[in-house]
């Protein structure tokens, strides 16, 4: 390698080390919280198996508005914002509530679909909600509207720089040797062992970390999200998504109407019949009468492979229908960003692999800091302190 090559590698080492020192603890926190959430659905379902189902009966299940009315009559838990209904007559209804005036969101409830009897609150919900806020926004006030989202995004960009620079720095002379790339030398000790673990295990997880960061940026920066939508979506889909983000024209605020779920639910059942397994009905957060309905088919294995309908709650008119089967490959990639981010598109083996990779992040933080300190220690004796006399002078 020539002098220019050595200078480039020295510069990359400085960039890699500086980014690592600044971001080590933050990246470890983000990765560990992500690892904790890897099997959230399975854990929550196991913890709440006793309240998620009821004995099916011959009586008809309640319509959603009647169910909400009976629930409020028994006890006012707050404003209902969403309900999850199922085609399975033994499945409980999950009711979610809007935030109160202090910004707190009451815990959701599982409710008997036949008589609106409260079955209980899901265990683990608050824990995973806190972990999710820590992972996405660092618990900084404002959540998605606060500074936490941008900080996480900057950390993800820093990790990409570290991954690329680390790959260049460890490029072996025998690049075609699988052993050189993938086998750590556990017979070494001290600095050599730290370097081997840092470099080789880093090579193992590099593809996973790249997928995590490139999909994680979707949730941090609007410019990145808009760019991905423009790149992977059809022009009409891109235009529709941009239109929904357009600011509301200034003027007199629309009156908030009191709306229910029944009209939208009835229209949805006419559209879907018995093809769905469960559906999430969400009331509009502000003024308006359009209810969003996300539905999952009976053969759906991923949370992101869903259809989405928008139905006027007053007239029952279908405003829009976005079916997963009608999406192009690029649009399906966009729809599955979250499941790609956590490896769920590869099934439970993918989720397990991504969880292990995330849990290994502290290893790189520790070995990277140790390598930096040992490198400084090796350089120190070569530097003669100013004003110190050499023996014999």
């Amino acid at each position: 390698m020539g002098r220019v090559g050595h200078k480039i590698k020295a510069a990359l080492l400085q960039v890699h080390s500086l980014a690592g020192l600044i971001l080590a603890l933050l990246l470890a926190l983000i990765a560990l919280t992500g690892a904790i959430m890897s099997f959230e659905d399975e854990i929550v379902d196991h913890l709440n198996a006793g309240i998620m189902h009821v004995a099916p009966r011959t009586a008809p299940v309640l319509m959603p508005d009647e169910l909400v009315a009976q629930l409020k009559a028994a006890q006012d838990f707050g404003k209902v914002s969403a309900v999850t209904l199922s085609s399975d007559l033994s499945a409980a209804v999950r009711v979610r509530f809007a935030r109160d005036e202090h910004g707190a969101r009451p815990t959701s409830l599982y409710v008997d679909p036949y008589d609106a009897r409260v079955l209980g609150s899901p265990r683990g919900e608050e824990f995973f909600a806190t972990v999710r806020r820590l992972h996405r926004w660092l618990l900084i006030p404002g959540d998605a509207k606060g500074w936490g989202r941008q900080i996480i995004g900057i950390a993800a960009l820093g990790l990409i720089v570290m991954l690329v620079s680390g790959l260049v720095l460890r490029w072996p002379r025998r690049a075609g040797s699988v052993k050189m790339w993938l086998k750590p030398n556990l017979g070494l000790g001290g600095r050599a062992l730290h370097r081997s673990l840092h470099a080789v295990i880093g090579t193992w997880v590099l593809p996973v970390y790249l997928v995590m960061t490139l999909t994680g940026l979707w949730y941090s920066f609007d410019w990145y999200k808009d760019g991905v939508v423009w790149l992977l979506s059809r022009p009409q889909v891109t235009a529709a998504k941009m239109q929904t983000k357009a600011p509301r024209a200034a003027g007199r605020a629309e009156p908030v109407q009191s709306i229910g779920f029944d009209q939208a639910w009835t229209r949805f059942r006419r559209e879907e019949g018995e093809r769905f397994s469960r559906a999430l009905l969400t009331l509009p957060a502000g003024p308006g009468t359009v209810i969003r309905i996300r539905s999952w088919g009976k053969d759906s294995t991923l949370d992101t492979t869903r259809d989405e309908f928008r139905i006027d709650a007053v007239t029952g008119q279908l405003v829009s229908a976005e079916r997963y089967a009608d999406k192009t490959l690029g649009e399906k990639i966009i729809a599955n960003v979250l499941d790609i981010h956590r490896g769920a598109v590869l099934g439970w083996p993918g989720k397990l692999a991504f969880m292990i990779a995330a849990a290994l992040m502290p290893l790189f933080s520790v070995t990277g800091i140790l390598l930096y300190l040992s490198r400084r220690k090796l350089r120190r004796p070569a530097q003669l302190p100013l004003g110190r006399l050499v023996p014999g002078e």
Side-chain angles (χ1 to χ4, degrees):
M1 183 184 295
R3 178 173 296 182
V4 175
H6 281 294
K7 287 185 176 180
I8 293 174
K9 278 206 165 186
L12 283 176
L13 180 59
Q14 292 296 323
V15 171
H16 187 87
S17 300
L18 182 61
L21 289 172
I22 294 173
L23 299 174
L25 294 179
L26 179 57
L27 289 174
L29 174 65
I30 297 170
L32 287 176
T33 51
I36 291 171
M37 293 188 295
S38 295
F39 288 92
E40 175 186 352
D41 295 339
E42 291 81 356
I43 293 171
V44 171
D45 287 351
H46 176 74
L47 290 175
N48 299 287
I51 63 172
M52 294 175 64
H53 294 88
V54 298
R57 304 166 211 171
T58 56
V61 297
L62 297 173
M63 289 291 285
D65 286 347
E66 178 62 22
L67 184 142
V68 170
Q70 290 192 26
L71 181 65
K72 287 185 174 182
Q75 182 179 346
D76 189 3
F77 294 94
K79 181 183 177 182
V80 172
S81 63
V83 295
T84 301
L85 304 168
S86 176
S87 61
D88 181 359
L89 297 179
S90 67
V93 175
R94 188 170 184 178
V95 180
R96 293 178 171 89
F97 301 94
R99 297 186 183 277
D100 58 25
E101 60 272 14
H102 304 293
R105 188 188 298 277
T107 184
S108 62
L109 297 173
Y110 280 104
V111 178
D112 190 313
Y114 295 94
D115 57 15
R117 177 173 56 90
V118 175
L119 302 174
S121 298
R123 296 167 59 191
E125 181 182 67
E126 292 187 7
F127 169 76
F128 281 110
T130 301
V131 172
R132 189 175 301 105
R133 290 179 60 233
L134 182 59
H135 180 76
R136 293 181 176 179
W137 309 307
L138 300 175
L139 298 181
I140 293 176
D143 292 345
K145 297 180 180 179
W147 285 101
R149 190 167 72 112
Q150 284 74 29
I151 294 173
I152 295 294
I154 292 170
L157 291 173
L159 179 57
I160 293 176
V161 171
M162 292 166 63
L163 292 173
V164 174
S165 60
L167 181 63
V168 174
L169 288 169
R170 81 142 307 192
W171 197 274
R173 292 182 179 179
R174 290 183 292 157
S177 171
V178 176
K179 180 179 177 180
M180 292 291 293
W181 280 106
L182 301 178
K183 184 180 179 181
N185 192 341
L186 301 179
L188 301 173
R191 171 181 168 79
L193 177 61
H194 300 155
R195 179 180 176 83
S196 180
L197 291 174
H198 192 86
V200 176
I201 298 179
T203 303
W204 293 354
V205 300
L206 186 145
V208 175
Y209 285 174
L210 275 177
V211 171
M212 287 179 173
T213 51
L214 292 175
T215 52
L217 287 170
W218 171 275
Y219 300 99
S220 291
F221 299 117
D222 290 335
W223 57 265
Y224 183 89
K225 185 175 183 178
D226 294 342
V228 173
V229 170
W230 173 83
L231 182 65
L232 297 180
S233 296
R234 290 167 291 179
Q236 61 268 31
V237 174
T238 304
K241 289 189 179 294
M242 294 302 176
Q243 185 177 3
T244 59
K245 294 174 59 177
R248 187 186 300 273
R252 191 170 56 186
E254 298 179 37
V256 179
Q257 300 186 44
S258 178
I259 59 175
F261 295 100
D262 282 1
Q263 284 275 22
W265 177 240
T266 301
R267 178 57 188 266
F268 169 78
R269 293 299 301 270
R270 287 206 304 267
E271 292 287 330
E272 286 294 278
E274 297 299 323
R275 288 177 293 181
F276 75 102
S277 64
R278 59 189 173 97
L280 171 62
L281 287 68
T282 305
L283 292 173
T289 60
V290 175
I291 288 180
R292 183 184 66 189
I293 301 180
R294 290 176 172 173
S295 70
W296 291 263
K298 294 180 179 179
D299 59 346
S300 176
T301 58
L302 297 175
D303 185 64
T304 49
T305 55
R306 64 191 179 220
D307 300 330
E308 185 165 316
F309 303 86
R310 295 181 183 273
I311 301 174
D312 192 294
V314 176
T315 64
Q317 179 184 359
L318 179 65
V319 177
S320 66
E322 187 177 307
R323 297 184 183 275
Y324 183 82
D326 296 335
K327 296 178 183 291
T328 64
L329 175 61
E331 291 161 4
K332 288 180 178 179
I333 292 174
I334 291 174
N336 286 302
V337 163
L338 178 59
D339 281 326
I340 296 172
H341 180 71
R342 60 195 187 120
V345 290
L346 302 176
W348 73 261
K351 292 170 71 172
L352 180 62
F354 274 53
M355 182 189 74
I356 293 173
L360 285 172
M361 181 63 78
L363 171 69
F364 303 109
S365 300
V366 172
T367 54
I369 292 173
L370 290 174
L371 286 170
Y372 174 79
L373 294 176
S374 62
R375 196 161 54 246
R376 286 182 60 87
K377 185 177 180 180
L378 287 172
R379 285 201 302 258
R380 196 173 298 135
Q383 298 174 354
L384 190 65
L386 293 176
R388 179 173 177 179
L389 296 176
V390 177
E393 288 187 342

